[in-house]
Amino acid sequence: GPSNSEGAGKVSLLKKVPALKDGDFTLAECTAILLYLTRKYKTPDHWYPSDIQKRAQVDEYLSWHHANIRANAPKTMWIKVLIPLFTGQPLPSEKLQEVMEGLSTSLKQFEERFLQDKAFIIGSEISLADLVAIVELMQPVGVGCDIFEDRPRLREWRRRVEDAVGKELFFQAHEMILNIKELSNIQIDPQLKEQLAPVLMKMLK
């Protein structure tokens, strides 16, 4: 999301997080950062396989993800928590319904096109594709929209991702998302509200 800090502007021209600073090298966009880290630190092959076809499958999912899962899943958090927090007004329920319908379509495609009957997106081992997907899909869960409840195939995939990452690490990584509702109780600086409210509203258009 957007950041108004001076430091963020030095790392990312877009003034957005996540952003990476590695010595004098800076990089924005989460997917680019993940790929950079896998190459620099020579992570286990299953995360971003050296096999050209498996790697292409990861790339395919990452390309599809931005216009589908990412286009809808995070909006549940903006609608139910962030926008009311910064504007002081809840959004109409129709807006959440619209987003959930778009997300439902994306989840159907995710299950049928990418997951199918496999353990993970590209086969029997977890990859960056699964990590990118699960982080996005935990956001609706954090605001009370349990997208896994009526989707057994998706629910089992989530369980396998948790097991592959390690449950403790999985929930530690998602702690902020799963407790996002607690933000409703904090006091926001009025000037910050004035700055960020239009930005958040624009994200929903």
Side-chain angles (χ1 to χ4, degrees):
S3 173
N4 291 324
S5 71
E6 182 180 349
K10 292 179 179 179
V11 177
S12 169
L13 292 176
L14 300 176
K15 292 188 176 182
K16 285 187 175 183
V17 293
L20 171 75
K21 190 174 189 300
D22 186 12
D24 294 330
F25 178 69
T26 60
L27 190 64
E29 301 300 337
C30 61
T31 301
I33 291 170
L34 283 172
L35 296 179
Y36 172 78
L37 292 174
T38 62
R39 290 161 179 151
K40 177 170 181 176
Y41 293 104
K42 298 179 181 178
T43 55
D45 190 70
H46 63 86
W47 290 115
Y48 195 50
S50 54
D51 179 277
I52 190 171
Q53 292 187 353
K54 288 184 177 180
R55 178 169 289 196
Q57 286 180 298
V58 174
D59 292 339
E60 179 187 32
Y61 176 77
L62 295 177
S63 296
W64 176 85
H65 175 87
H66 284 276
N68 293 276
I69 300 295
R70 178 162 290 168
N72 289 296
K75 289 181 180 178
T76 57
M77 187 169 59
W78 303 340
I79 290 170
K80 296 200 73 174
V81 176
L82 297 179
I83 289 178
L85 179 65
F86 281 94
T87 64
Q89 298 292 330
L91 286 174
S93 59
E94 292 80 7
K95 193 65 185 176
L96 179 62
Q97 183 179 350
E98 177 186 328
V99 167
M100 291 302 293
E101 287 173 358
L103 180 56
S104 180
T105 299
S106 294
L107 290 175
K108 186 173 187 294
Q109 293 174 357
F110 175 79
E111 289 185 293
E112 294 177 355
R113 171 65 185 86
F114 293 99
L115 196 54
Q116 299 176 8
D117 59 353
K118 297 173 293 185
F120 299 100
I121 292 174
I122 66 165
S124 60
E125 292 185 291
I126 192 171
S127 72
L128 285 183
D130 299 282
L131 279 191
V132 169
I134 196 67
V135 167
E136 220 79 68
L137 294 179
M138 291 301 290
Q139 294 184 45
V141 175
V143 295
C145 302
D146 192 347
I147 57 172
F148 298 98
E149 186 176 8
D150 298 321
R151 295 181 174 90
R153 179 162 45 171
L154 197 68
R155 186 170 62 246
E156 285 303 302
W157 165 77
R158 172 188 164 176
R159 181 189 59 76
R160 289 191 292 269
V161 172
E162 287 181 18
D163 290 342
V165 172
K167 288 186 181 295
E168 183 178 351
L169 179 58
F170 181 91
F171 285 103
Q172 181 182 346
H174 294 96
E175 183 178 5
M176 183 175 292
I177 289 174
L178 294 175
N179 293 301
I180 194 72
K181 287 184 178 181
E182 293 180 8
L183 285 179
S184 302
N185 301 320
I186 68 173
Q187 296 296 316
I188 304 294
D189 179 83
Q191 186 176 359
L192 185 59
K193 279 188 175 184
E194 187 176 347
Q195 290 175 339
L196 289 184
V199 177
L200 289 169
M201 293 299 291
K202 187 177 179 182
M203 286 179 177
L204 290 178
K205 293 181 180 178

